[in-house]
Amino acid sequence: MYFPGLLLNNTTMWLTFLVSLSLLAKPSSAATATSADKVLSNHATIFADNSASLALSLYQNMAKEKGAENILISPVVVASSLGLVALGGKGSTASQVKTILNASKVQDEQLHSGLAELLTEVSDPKARNVTWKISSRLYGPSSVTFVDEFVKSSKKHYKCDHSKINFRDKKSAVKSINEWAAKSTGGKLPEVTKEVENTDGAMIINAMFFKPHWDEKFHPKMVDDRGFLVTSSHAVSLQMMHRTGLFDFYDDTTNKLYLLSMPLAQKKSTVVFIMPYHVEPLERLEKMLNKTQLDTWMGKMKQTAVAVSLPKVSMEVSHNLQKHLQELGLTEAVDKSKADLSNVSGKKDLYLSSVLHAAALEWDTHGNEIDTSIFGTEKLKSPKLFYADHPFIFLIKDKKTNSVLFIGRMVRPKGEKMKDEL
Ligand SMILES: *[C@@H]1O[C@H](CO)[C@@H](O)[C@H](O)[C@H]1NC(C)=O
Ligand SMILES: *[C@@H]1O[C@H](CO)[C@@H](O)[C@H](O)[C@H]1NC(C)=O
Ligand SMILES: *[C@@H]1O[C@H](CO)[C@@H](O)[C@H](O)[C@H]1NC(C)=O
Ligand SMILES: *[C@@H]1O[C@H](CO)[C@@H](O)[C@H](O)[C@H]1NC(C)=O
């Protein structure tokens, strides 16, 4: 059930709890950088910088279409799928990729090595203390023969493997795609597709599992059952995790929304939440969401004491990006009569019939130890509330490379439907 009136009391209770915990806690070990930071090459920097534009245009394109569903996309991974199309494509099938990535002047070799470098950097589990499993595969129809050179280069740059599949036997095709995705993600993505629409093209598929490892964890005991308002009259029950701390925060009173940035371990990246004050469809915020506005908001955030409550849920989302990429300008690769993917197969016999982009994101309490020294001090007095019990937008921004690792929205988390309260 949803009792807004209880909120303040609970917050006070958590604070008291945390303060008493701090008396027991060991001194925290500050995060130490493991290896000397490598600087990105110029061409990798281009893709990092442009990932925000790709993120926003893809997000906007998808938000327009999908009424009220969750969105979860990794622009840097989408960029690498596009790189794969450029690797296998010739002529304008390949050059369209560069236009979308705003990299028309970049040489082929630098395109591929730049995209590879960026993805390797941001998904490095050691340097970033992140769980991010990314698997990519190109499925071709049974009739295709993959050119050795393509198989080699796509493994090298995009860690992409290859498989032939009889799409005409739809049932077993779906089964084997889902089995591959489940296996690649350690079971986190049991079903990425329910059907295959086109039986004569090639399919690029990404299957990912991402788990943020917070710079400072949520206390595992500060988790309880709450309601999440999908709409003002429809709530689902789920677990929420709570913690108070100093975070970059901005209360945009004009637009009636909050921005909150919570760093991930090693502080190389951060999760930025954009949430309206109250439950409402996200269209209003989405209309505002462009690069200029985002930069303005980021610039206004200030370190603030905030009592944060977030859903502790996992999101599994699978998108077919084929149509959205087409609308961003990838018109040839997806068109059977125009596509030239002859560097894949040696012949002009392939087109891209789907681009499945599937990710599981697990919002959890895990992270590095909390710096408890500020608890009970003036710094945390009268915290602002960030109570994420209604739809919000989020971006996982990489600070080191300035790229966008994920963009998405949570509008309908998993959970039992609650009896309507309002
Ligand atoms: C495209 O790249 C150029 C520099 O190469 C830059 O000035 C421009 O802002 C970029 N456009 C977008 C939409 O990112
Ligand atoms: C595509 O094939 C042509 C030869 O047909 C070759 O010159 C070119 O290097 C290939 N491109 C890639 C990226 O392999
Ligand atoms: C992150 O670091 C902690 C210890 O600092 C470690 O226990 C944990 O396994 C690491 N997680 C990942 C994903 O590297
Ligand atoms: C970005 O959004 C803001 C706020 O909605 C708007 O004022 C501005 O004109 C937009 N800028 C661009 C470049 O679209």
Side-chain angles (χ1 to χ4, degrees), residues 309-361:
S309 297
L310 293 180
K312 179 181 175 296
V313 290
S314 58
M315 294 173 76
E316 292 95 31
V317 183
S318 179
H319 302 289
N320 189 350
L321 298 182
Q322 193 232 28
K323 206 175 109 211
H324 304 294
L325 291 173
Q326 184 174 12
E327 283 169 18
L328 297 193
L330 193 79
T331 56
E332 302 229 331
V334 300
D335 183 331
K336 202 172 166 175
S337 64
K338 294 196 180 127
D340 185 350
L341 291 171
S342 50
N343 273 1
V344 176
S345 59
K347 283 189 276 194
K348 213 177 147 181
D349 59 351
L350 269 188
Y351 79 107
L352 194 58
S353 59
S354 49
V355 182
L356 278 190
H357 189 75
L361 198 167

Side-chain angles (χ1 to χ4, degrees), residues 118-390:
L118 176 60
L119 200 55
T120 305
E121 163 64 39
V122 296
S123 61
D124 181 343
K126 282 218 186 73
R128 291 168 176 268
N129 196 255
V130 68
T131 304
W132 191 2
K133 274 176 79 86
I134 307 168
S135 303
S136 303
R137 176 173 266 195
L138 177 74
Y139 280 109
S142 321
S143 56
V144 81
T145 313
F146 294 116
V147 171
D148 286 347
E149 185 54 34
F150 174 77
V151 169
K152 246 196 281 168
S153 326
S154 56
K155 273 205 177 109
K156 176 179 159 209
H157 295 301
Y158 300 112
K159 299 191 176 93
C160 177
D161 74 4
H162 306 79
S163 182
K164 288 198 255 191
I165 194 166
N166 180 7
F167 286 119
R168 289 201 167 80
D169 182 354
K170 289 190 174 186
K171 225 171 131 192
S172 59
V174 166
K175 186 162 170 275
S176 76
I177 292 166
N178 285 330
E179 278 172 3
W180 172 81
K183 193 158 161 259
S184 311
T185 55
K188 301 290 181 183
L189 282 175
E191 188 179 66
V192 295
T193 185
K194 284 184 167 43
E195 55 175 347
V196 289
E197 280 166 32
N198 299 303
T199 55
D200 54 352
M203 170 192 279
I204 294 177
I205 174 167
N206 307 123
M208 291 174 271
F209 172 57
F210 187 87
K211 181 167 175 167
H213 189 86
W214 302 107
D215 182 48
E216 292 191 357
K217 69 183 181 188
F218 284 76
H219 194 283
K221 289 208 171 116
M222 306 280 272
V223 172
D224 56 12
D225 293 320
R226 301 274 165 149
F228 183 101
L229 293 165
V230 176
T231 66
S232 55
S233 61
H234 174 180
V236 294
S237 73
L238 44 63
Q239 290 199 312
M240 282 180 85
M241 49 193 182
H242 316 279
R243 69 169 297 233
T244 300
L246 287 177
F247 300 106
D248 284 342
F249 180 81
Y250 175 56
D251 178 355
D252 183 341
T253 53
T254 312
N255 293 311
K256 297 190 166 42
L257 56 89
Y258 300 115
L259 270 102
L260 169 73
S261 169
M262 293 185 72
L264 299 183
Q266 320 303 359
K267 292 194 173 71
K268 287 199 167 85
S269 50
T270 186
V271 186
V272 178
F273 297 93
I274 310 171
M275 183 175 77
Y277 282 177
H278 307 291
V279 58
E280 63 171 288
L282 290 174
E283 277 95 327
R284 183 178 68 87
L285 270 62
E286 284 162 350
K287 281 205 185 108
M288 270 180 260
L289 196 61
N290 60 33
K291 190 126 187 303
T292 323
Q293 183 63 60
L294 205 54
D295 289 343
T296 307
W297 277 330
M298 299 299 289
K300 288 192 168 164
M301 285 204 259
K302 285 211 170 61
Q303 210 184 51
T304 308
V306 191
V308 179
S309 297
L310 293 180
K312 179 181 175 296
V313 290
S314 58
M315 294 173 76
E316 292 95 31
V317 183
S318 179
H319 302 289
N320 189 350
L321 298 182
Q322 193 232 28
K323 206 175 109 211
H324 304 294
L325 291 173
Q326 184 174 12
E327 283 169 18
L328 297 193
L330 193 79
T331 56
E332 302 229 331
V334 300
D335 183 331
K336 202 172 166 175
S337 64
K338 294 196 180 127
D340 185 350
L341 291 171
S342 50
N343 273 1
V344 176
S345 59
K347 283 189 276 194
K348 213 177 147 181
D349 59 351
L350 269 188
Y351 79 107
L352 194 58
S353 59
S354 49
V355 182
L356 278 190
H357 189 75
L361 198 167
E362 201 166 297
W363 299 101
D364 203 344
T365 57
H366 297 188
N368 291 344
E369 287 306 320
I370 301 175
D371 174 6
T372 48
S373 65
I374 57 166
F375 289 111
T377 68
E378 283 292 308
K379 283 186 178 166
L380 285 191
K381 249 183 100 181
S382 337
K384 298 276 183 186
L385 296 182
F386 186 89
Y387 191 71
D389 73 338
H390 56 279

Side-chain angles (χ1 to χ4, degrees), residues 43-93:
H43 34 281
T45 305
I46 293 175
F47 300 118
D49 288 345
N50 291 340
S51 66
S53 307
L54 180 63
L56 292 171
S57 27
L58 251 186
Y59 180 97
Q60 295 290 8
N61 200 284
M62 296 168 80
K64 253 190 324 203
E65 160 147 309
K66 292 206 157 187
E69 296 309 317
N70 298 331
I71 291 179
L72 182 58
I73 34 178
S74 170
V76 290
V77 173
V78 172
S80 95
S81 293
L82 287 169
L84 190 68
V85 175
L87 186 69
K90 282 188 189 165
S92 41
T93 299

